[in-house]
Amino acid sequence: MTAASLPLPRPVVTGAVSEHAHDEPVALLQLDVADVAEAASAVYREVRRGRRVVAVASGGADASARLAEALDAIGVTTALPAPGQALLNAPASIVAGPEVAVAHTRPAPERPLRVALAGCGVVGGGVLARLLGDDRFEVVGVLVRDPNKPRDPAVSKPLLLADPAALLAREPDVLVEAISDASTGLALIRAALSRGVDVVSANKQAVGSDLAALTALAEAHDARLLYSASVGGGSPLIETVRRARKHGPVVRIEAVLNGTCNFILNRLAAGVAFDEALIAAREAGFAEEDPTADLSGLDAAAKLAILAHEALDDGISPERIARETLSADAALLPGRVRQISRLDLRTDSAGVALAAVDGDAFFADLPDEGNALRVTTGDGRVFTARGRGAGRIPTTESVWADLIDLLNA
């Protein structure tokens, strides 16, 4: 596959059929919103499976509003239809249920799933808070750089470790890997899989570096590797590519995969100077102190490589994906600009490039931290997904959904 910088593709019109409610499966959920996080998770897991959801929210007069707020924080679009209005006008429709929910007993596992957590930053800390409050899981260790640093949530001293080997020596069932460093994360993933330990990862650089080899390693040791959170935060981008491939051969992927760049480009379009837009992205929590991976397209290339693996049998190395750097010069491009990641199997090309998207509302209207994906199959069918691509809550939810999938497998 050649590496080439790509122009913005023209939207498919002739023969293209988008996903609509009439041909998507529907999930009807009865939810007790007394535990709003658990209720929102149940909806999110169905949405990422490609189902539209009708959620009956019990737990008081404001239950529907509280559930909608929790889902918005994840990035799931909801509707609160009034009586008599049509349902399924959004991925999730919420209707009011009884004041007191029908009791449902959650089956308890034979023993808690033993979890080792690597990384306790934005994502790792969010996952840890969920783990500590759920008796289905037992946290056996938390890998951090500095065990003496104060943390939120608080972690008991015996759980904190600075040695990756010591973490795996505690014999976890699953490793949750949320380390910012690619090489450390990759080494830890390989070590865990080699031991037959399941892995859930949010580390796109580690996973995207050689996903085919990691998948083969997992299969060789009867372990499972889940990595939904590595692309798109809470947006079900990986799952959308998988659904498209089940329908037919994927011929094109177009996506906005980096929330930092999207945030900055929105500010540039509003007339804000580049340096000021970058500062605002840091203050909003979307940009690292060193934003090189985001601005250079390296982050998006790693994510595109993961999506390519889902679309193809062999995938593509991130190093073979051409990249264009976002800089102050982007303000010189006319109209609304996006960092577009594209894989086109008809032209055998892949790239991450800046492009004007006026006239393509799917990408042009994308909010600050939003990610968006459009997948086209050989017969012209189009599969799409949009949502929050960055932030603690959406990414934590994606990791959590992978953990629940492991638990229920």
Side-chain angles (χ1 to χ4, degrees), residues 17-25 50 52 381:
V17 182
S18 297
E19 289 186 302
H20 293 296
H22 70 267
D23 60 359
E24 292 175 353
R52 289 185 175 252
R381 185 179 173 95

Side-chain angles (χ1 to χ4, degrees), residues 13 29 88 119 128 170 176 181 187 215 265 296 350 395 397:
V13 177
L29 302 180
L88 302 177
L128 180 61
R170 296 195 173 182
V176 175
D181 179 70
T215 301
L265 288 167
S296 69
T395 311
E397 197 61 51

Side-chain angles (χ1 to χ4, degrees), residues 3-76:
S5 184
L6 301 168
L8 178 74
R10 288 178 291 181
V12 177
V13 177
T14 305
V17 182
S18 297
E19 289 186 302
H20 293 296
H22 70 267
D23 60 359
E24 292 175 353
V26 177
L28 175 61
L29 302 180
Q30 294 181 306
L31 301 171
D32 183 357
V33 185
D35 186 344
V36 68
E38 182 71 17
S41 289
V43 174
Y44 171 76
R45 291 196 300 274
E46 295 299 330
V47 169
R48 86 171 193 166
R49 292 186 182 111
R51 299 168 180 167
R52 289 185 175 252
V53 177
V54 176
V56 181
S58 302
D62 64 343
S64 296
R66 287 189 288 120
L67 180 57
E69 183 179 1
L71 288 168
D72 178 67
I74 298 170
V76 176

Side-chain angles (χ1 to χ4, degrees), residues 94-233:
I94 305 173
V95 297
E99 288 284 319
V100 179
V102 177
H104 294 284
T105 302
R106 184 172 67 190
E110 294 182 3
R111 66 172 179 83
L113 196 69
R114 293 170 57 83
V115 180
L117 176 63
C120 198
V122 173
V123 177
V127 174
L128 180 61
R130 298 285 289 272
L131 289 169
L132 294 176
D134 195 315
D135 59 9
R136 294 173 294 179
F137 301 96
E138 176 189 358
V139 179
V140 298
V142 180
L143 183 69
V144 294
R145 291 179 181 175
D146 181 6
N148 296 315
K149 177 182 176 181
R151 301 186 180 278
D152 183 20
V155 187
S156 64
K157 201 91 171 183
L159 289 179
L160 294 171
L161 300 164
D163 179 9
L167 182 71
L168 293 180
R170 296 195 173 182
E171 299 184 350
D173 300 311
V174 57
L175 167 73
V176 175
E177 189 273 317
I179 299 175
S180 58
D181 179 70
S183 59
T184 303
L186 180 58
L188 189 55
I189 291 171
R190 285 173 172 161
L193 294 176
S194 297
R195 289 169 172 252
V197 175
D198 295 333
V199 173
V200 173
S201 179
N203 190 334
K204 65 269 185 180
Q205 297 291 354
V207 172
S209 61
D210 194 355
L211 183 50
L214 290 176
T215 301
L217 182 63
E219 291 176 353
H221 293 277
D222 197 25
R224 293 166 291 182
L225 172 63
L226 288 78
Y227 45 88
S228 181
S230 66
V231 183

Side-chain angles (χ1 to χ4, degrees), residues 250-291:
V250 172
V251 297
R252 183 167 55 204
I253 293 174
E254 311 151 57
V256 171
L257 298 175
N258 186 273
T260 300
C261 288
N262 205 61
F263 182 99
I264 291 172
L265 288 167
N266 276 348
R267 295 301 179 277
L268 295 181
V272 176
F274 179 83
D275 290 343
E276 293 179 12
L278 179 55
I279 291 171
R282 286 197 183 102
E283 292 175 345
F286 300 136
E288 301 289 344
E289 191 60 34
D290 179 3

